[in-house]
Amino acid sequence: MAEKIIIDTDPGQDDAVAILLALASPELEVLGITAVAGNVPLTLTQRNARIVCELAGRTDVPVYAGCDAPLKRKLVTAEHVHGKTGLDGPVLPEPTMPLAEGHAVDFIIETLRREAPGTVTLCPLGPLTNVATALQRAPDIAGRIRRIVLMGGAYFEVGNITPTAEFNIYVDPEAAEIVFRSGVPLVVLPLDVTHKALVTGPRNQAFRDLGTPVGKAVAEMTDFFERFDKEKYGSDGAPLHDPCVTAWLLKPGLFTGREINVEIETVSELTLGMTVADWWGITDRPKNALFIGDLDADGFFSLLTERLGRL
Ligand code: RIB
Ligand code: CA
């Protein structure tokens, strides 16, 4: 029985690869894609999500537009990483599939109320504004969500947008606090693990060697997307942050982590958006998240490449 998921996303080249991996995998049933403002404004993230669905030949998957700004703060975007369109790299046609009617938050609430309790997983790949808004507007859905598997945060790796905060959490820390305190089972893929999923030259070449439009587009996306991390960290390729969420759902055995307490800094300007992860169990705060620290990178890339080859 395929796991029913909703992908909440701010494409973003790495979001695009995460979506493609999900659409290529029969173990997952993508009920819908909900776009949120993040890497680029909402008008672009909802456009980019539709471009990715068309690239995958999956215009049957509804794409909804969601929140265009964080709960309480001004939107911070990341064109410096993802380019002006948010999907720079490949030249892809404008989408022709229409945006689905209605707000993404209503889609999340209605879907969770319609599907059997404990059967739908939320996969946030961007700021948590849509998910937090749904939880605030319909508290009853918290008990109906199977689990939330999200890309966000950092502990040993610390920040990528400030010295202490990872982008998705930093953009909407109040939303993150709502999600991390919701009591919903959480699996967190932080920079600690995603910075180990690097698209090295041979891995990029393997995408090209697929000889398909998807393989070529993914190679071009990751070629573009790697500049920021190469300059900043001297990384040996682009870190595939968001695809770690999809891969964890498909093969959790590729990853290792700990059930720990994770709280969100929402007050201090200095450390705003920090995921304060009690990795060493120093406090008696409730263990609210499976916090992933490591992965089998070769296993991850062979899974990803094989699945992309199916599109
Ligand atoms: O910090 C990395 C995260 O921020 C990824 O989800 C990337 O797509 C951006 O949204
Ligand atoms: Ca993202």
Side-chain angles (χ1 to χ4, degrees), residues 10-15 38-39 78 82 125-127 151-152 160 166-168 191 194 225 241-242:
D10 63 336
Q13 290 86 352
D14 60 318
D15 302 68
N39 285 320
H82 299 274
L125 308 178
M151 191 279 141
N160 61 355
E166 178 278 325
F167 180 79
N168 288 341
L191 297 179
T194 68
F225 170 60
H241 306 290
D242 296 335

Side-chain angles (χ1 to χ4, degrees), residues 19 22 27 32-33 35 39 53 57 74 83-84 92 95 104-105 120 135 144 149 189 222 229 248 252 261 263 291:
I19 294 165
E27 302 92 323
I33 294 175
N39 285 320
C53 286
K74 223 171 93 41
K84 210 171 47 57
L92 296 168
V105 171
V120 178
L135 285 165
R144 300 179 70 90
V149 185
L189 285 301
T222 51
D229 289 81
W248 187 89
N261 174 266
E263 301 283 348
F291 198 79

